Amino acid sequence: MISLAVLDIAGTTVDEKNAVYDVLAAVVADHGTPADDAALRRWMGADKREALAALTGDPAAVEELHADFVDRLHETYATMRPAPLPGVPEALAALRAAGIRVALTTGFDRQVTDPLLAALRWSVGGEIDAVVCASEVAAGRPTPHMIHRAMELTGVTAPAQVLVAGDTALDVRAGHAASAGIVAAVLTGAQTRVELAAEKPTHVLDGVADIPTLLGL
């Protein structure tokens, strides 16, 4: 029985038009170390500081680069407001009505996450039960630390009772690393079915909207 759904934010529950990766690519390029699409795709779903350090090869500049990333992303979101992906609010409501707790995890830190959730009018104790940012744990995906923290915050102790869903290979790897009972890849993000299936998720879904049906709700 699933007691907790741990869901990624950008590309999984929220449609933000791939702004994260467009901004990440621009920051890296302006640093003088442009990254090709393949390099960027390897870091989809990762902690953004880790991604910036790896993509630029300049760990000493990470805080400055991350501040630039946050500023540019806020500017982008101000003109192109993120919105829930189709069927996601209904899916969250169905899960919580069935007694299944919902936690969101993200490679963003609170500088991005809190305004993003406020714009969606999602809050802990309202639409969701917990939020975990990569900056709040020892390491981001593909480690299971964010999932473990979500379990702690929601009082779920058995990994078999956890469903993890995300739109990137790193989401799937983190779910497997946590020994989650269900590790679902969703096709609403930038990575393809082939890329996601290669990570051997337990399920490949069109989107989070399909989770209630998967669970028989």
Side-chain angles (χ1 to χ4, degrees):
M1 181 183 74
I2 296 299
S3 300
L4 171 64
V6 180
L7 312 174
D8 174 50
I9 295 183
T12 299
T13 54
V14 178
D15 180 8
E16 46 84 67
K17 313 297 184 189
N18 287 325
V20 171
Y21 298 104
D22 290 343
V23 171
L24 186 66
V27 170
V28 170
D30 288 349
H31 176 266
T33 51
D36 61 20
D37 184 63
L40 288 166
R41 293 175 84 82
R42 282 196 295 273
W43 288 95
M44 287 180 172
D47 176 273
K48 297 305 172 282
R49 287 181 172 85
E50 292 176 10
L52 287 163
L55 290 166
T56 63
D58 190 359
V62 162
E63 290 306 318
E64 181 180 350
L65 291 166
H66 186 263
D68 186 22
F69 168 79
V70 169
D71 287 345
R72 294 195 198 195
L73 193 60
H74 282 165
E75 291 173 5
T76 301
Y77 283 167
T79 58
M80 184 183 63
R81 291 178 68 85
L85 281 156
V88 167
E90 294 82 1
L92 300 186
L95 290 168
R96 299 188 80 233
I100 298 170
R101 280 147 279 187
V102 175
L104 301 181
T105 60
T106 178
F108 298 147
D109 66 8
R110 290 285 173 174
Q111 290 175 286
V112 174
T113 303
D114 288 346
L116 176 58
L117 295 180
L120 296 168
R121 295 187 173 87
W122 289 358
S123 63
V124 172
E127 293 72 19
I128 54 178
D129 296 285
V131 179
V132 182
C133 297
S135 58
E136 297 166 353
V137 296
R141 304 179 187 114
T143 76
H145 299 321
M146 285 196 289
I147 298 168
H148 289 164
R149 179 59 178 154
M151 292 171 66
E152 291 173 5
L153 291 172
T154 57
V156 175
T157 58
Q161 295 179 6
V162 178
L163 175 151
V164 174
D167 66 303
T168 70
L170 293 186
D171 289 306
V172 176
R173 291 177 198 167
H176 285 315
S179 299
I182 294 177
V183 181
V186 298
L187 300 176
T188 46
Q191 292 196 312
T192 66
R193 180 183 290 272
V194 171
E195 288 174 307
L196 295 169
E199 302 298 329
K200 295 182 170 48
T202 60
H203 300 78
V204 178
L205 305 176
D206 287 337
V208 164
D210 293 339
I211 290 176
T213 299
L214 174 65
L215 299 180
L217 304 181

